[in-house]
Amino acid sequence: MSLSILAQTPLLTEQIPTPVVSWPALLPLIVMALGGLLLLTFASLFGRRVGTPFFTWWTVMTGLIAFGTAVPLWAQVQGWDRRVLWWNPEQTPAGAFSTVGGAFGIDGFSVLLTMLIALAVAVCALVMAGTSERDGERHVEGPALLILSATGAMVMVGANDLIVLFLGLEVLSLAVYVLAAMNLRRVQSQEAGLKYFVLGAFSSAFFLYGIALVYGGTGSTSLVNITGFLADNLLLGSSSVLVLLGIALMVAGLAFKVAAVPFHSWSPDVYDGAPTSSVAFMASVVKIAAFAGMVRVLVVGFDTFAADWRPILQVLAVLSLVGGALVALVQTNVKRLLAYSSISHAGFILLGVEAASDTGTRAVLVYLVAYTFLVIGSFAVVSIVGRSGDGMHSLDSYRGLGRVSPALAGTFTILLLAQAGVPFTSGFYAKFYAVIAAVDAQSAWLAVVAMLSAVIAAYLYLRLVVTMWFVAPGDQTPAPGLPIPATTGVALVVCVAVTLFIGITPGPLTSVVDEAPPVVVEPPVEQVADAPGLDGLPPGLLDALGGGGAGGQDPLTVDPGGAGTPAGGAP
Amino acid sequence: MVELLWLVPALPLAGFVILVLAGRRMGEPAAGWIATLMVTASFVVSCVAFVGLVGLEDHVFVQTLFTWIPAGDFLVDIGLYLDPLSGVMILFITGISALIHLYSIGYMHGDANFSKFFIYLNLFVFSMLVLVLGDNLLLTFLGWEGVGACSYFLISFWFTKPANASAGKKAFVTNRIGDWGFLVGIFMVFFTFGSLNYSDFLPEAGGLAQTTATFIAVMLFIGAIGKSAQLPLSVWLPDAMAGPTPVSALIHAATMVTAGVYLLSRINPIIAVSADWVPMLIAWTGAITALLAATVAVAQNDIKKVLAYSTVEMLGFMFMGVGIGAYWTAIFLMVVHAFFKALLFLCAGSVIHGMHENQDMRVMGGLRVLMPVTFLAYLAGWFSLAGIPPFSGFFGKDEVLTYAFQENKALWVVGVIAAFLTAVYIGRQAFMVFFGEERWPQYIARLGTATPAMVEATAAADEAAIAAEEAADEGGFDEVDDVEFHPVPEGFRPHESPWLMTLPLVVLAVLSVVGGLLNLPFPKSMHYLEKWLEPVFEGSAVKLELSSGTIVGLLVFSTVVALIGTAFAAAVWLRGRIDARRFQPALFVNAWYYDSALSRFVAGPGTDAFESTASFDRTVIDGAVNGVGGVATRAGQALRQTQSGYVRRYALGIGIGSLLILAFMFTRVVG
């Protein structure tokens, strides 16, 4: 089915071009959006009767189903020759494609990250269930906001249009602001939510203004058209000013979301104040989406300007790497410490983006996969040690944890060592490929800085490990028999298993990542040919609706096959 | 059939995982049975794969499981490489492991860490199989480190005793030196060939420059002497006997210590193109190690120490075989040695078990009546090691000596002397333990029996008492005697071990008797092993060109040497015709003072050297590190000040950052 059927309704007297939509391609998004909305509906109807276990189950299932619906997309993009679920290779052409008139891209990059986000939501929901059960906060908003926020993230990873990217960013962010302020008993939580909101709105304005400037410079917000325009027109001197300033502002906006120095200052305060389970989500999914946006905009969309934006990213990377590691050294609060360490991780991922190459993008993907599970697992441990009320986060709470709860301390040790980049953990390969990407991109000096900062950062992770194992328990250490909620336990097992699996055999991950390059594909060619009347329309409107998309005059010729037709086409 | 190969290492790994997860809950003896079952299954699969390999035309099977480390040009696969050499290795490794697992169920009975022991054993078998089956040097190195780690854990298994813990440390430190050589060798191979896969670089070894080949061969040789306890890295193996006896049998006699021989055999094409002195170095290292270890073995009183030095000696023979280019004889000796040395260790374990944990041969005697099964099994091991035909050890050792006779007469002379000493020391052990009068009643009479409560308390005092007694008794040379006497309960009599322990003894005894059939010297058609291994060593192995008469003469000569040695041992230690002390000079008792000289060096000039290094480390390196750390911390403190908590400050930061980026972009526009 296609939206273009709507064009047949007699009420529409004027012909408005409606983009052709490949619904199967949007299924993960639809599952997530519906899952969130239905959860709210259920909760408002039967909230008293169902309770937290149901919310958690629902959220995990939504994540897993979204993951499942992404599998046939992966099969289609990769061009597997076997039928996978509802994807049939004989009916649909293989390869990356774009839909909704080219506004949304389905390529290996977006499908892989969609899957990662879906899994992250499931794991985060498990962590959240553990703390809300313990603290007696049985509201539905947490799980529902997780799902809705992740929907925004999924929009961002596939966005082929700057406006769509912005929409995803806002859907993602608005939900996260609320998640940060969720703990009603801690005033710091509300402070965190407000700070995040004010600064987030501030930086969104930069981002949006950047989009406007780019539109002014290229005449489009669609990456398809922008890349086409830049390929046809050589922008020199003053003619490039709008585009360059637009890129600058978009970089600033995205750098805020990934918490790169000097746009990072919100993150320690917000990580510290927000509920720990929300932080696990913020630190993972928000960064996945923001880095995906960065790769799409800079590496794919504006690769012709790489020489201009690479120096900016280099500076951001160095500041984040060194600044994050240095300030983390003097922290005595574990949540703040992890906040700064995640700033340092962002520096590493920036190395991959900065490389502006296939190797670099692969490094970004490997790092994102490894880091997602590392950071969720780490904050899951923190959420347990924080105990009832989620307030015990000083380093003293970890004194002698190895004696009180060896399992928890052991898990945390593995995750921390992985964050430090110790071999046989996923962190090692993540850092390894990032450094390789920097060297390949002729920025060996960046690689040196990265490795030095990794040494500094290793100290702070080891300090935590030493505190847990070689220091006698103090009066803030949890009492023996610290309960580990079952759901959080499952999440931890998953995180540690992934960390070790990737660390021991990175082969499977890298072979997947090798098949997941981001590409911008034009919408199917025959539809452009079928819409001769669209030339007169202003390009912006066309882009927003799906530039060069299908006309509504003759839906039968545009959409002959019913479900899932408009797909395929090589770049 | 051969496709099942991956199961060979996978089964012990599965056993390891099961035991880690549920071993403690299973407890005794279920955990032991699971471990035994997995290794036995692995042995069965090995047999199947081996039969499959025989059916293949070129006798090589490579099974790539998955890509392990993909990093640009540096690509390492997890792959298994089954060829005649690794085929023989997996057969005897899994076979002997299965028997020793079974034995351990009886031996470790009642140990508090019963399931942990089998966790380590299964992990060990897995690592050992990775070592021999790995299709590239890195995988071999991984297995190499894995078996090493298991070995340290198991040496220190009863870590509450400080001696055991320090023995583990000693093994660890010594092996680090060897591992350094191995690693350098691996890097060199990668830089030279661009690949670590055996099937890639071994066929190309012929085109190697001589200096490169020499360097690689020497580095890997350093790795090999560390693992196989050859001079000068031999000190750790005798101390490693602190571990439970099945461990000594499996790891420190039959399998792990032969890894060095395997490694050198594997890289034989590289040794073939290296400088001439490299094989000579290997052969002479082996010969000298064999000779020294044999002399030391003659003077030991600990039943396991004798066998430990004997293992060092036999490994020396294998190195000799490798060095003179008779690779297949080294493998042959490795296999039969695995049979009879595992057997001897298990017999020793059975004796120790029966003697209430006492290991001092001087308190034994006359046990052949009380432990008949153990004694009969021991006989097979004894005659094998002594080199008496037709036991398997005779054929194994003699092939090495025959080739040595052809290649280098001096090596042959050293080998024959060592062989003579072998017959002497193992005869001495046999007579002291199983023959003669029962000496343990005297010791009990002298030291008294102990009630269980006394056992702990008096252990140390008893030791001192024994040392004092003996110092008085035997005049001086016993100052280093460290064989501990365990007080025994009232009414003590040595007893035979349970069937779980004697069954493996019987199987190994049979193998020790018939093991020679693998490769009989006559007729030529019986050279099964040599023919089977031929393709592996093609181009680098020497051919035997001696006339049949010479070979027969050498065989007869060896037999006579072995018989004289045994008779000599009987005369001294059974009949007492000659004073035994004349053959146990302090030099031999103290293992040529090598260990203590090393300790003294480490304690004296070594410590000074370490001290100065340490002070350099403290002042310069630590100073630099602490300085950097201090600067980093101060920088962190300073940067922290920017984190005021005010939103307006943060917004200002974001604004200034954006402005700077914009300004930069302006410069791009203008420029």
Side-chain angles (χ1 to χ4, degrees), chain B residues 628-647:
Chain B
V628 170
V631 169
T633 315
R634 272 195 294 282
Q637 291 286 8
L639 287 175
R640 192 186 191 180
Q641 303 304 320
T642 60
Q643 201 69 27
S644 60
Y646 291 114
V647 175

Side-chain angles (χ1 to χ4, degrees), chain A residues 38-52 54-55 58 138 140:
Chain A
L38 285 180
L39 176 59
L40 280 178
T41 318
F42 277 139
S44 54
L45 293 177
F46 315 108
R48 293 253 164 260
R49 258 172 286 164
V50 286
T52 311
F54 172 76
F55 302 152
W58 181 274
R138 290 151 197 276
V140 68

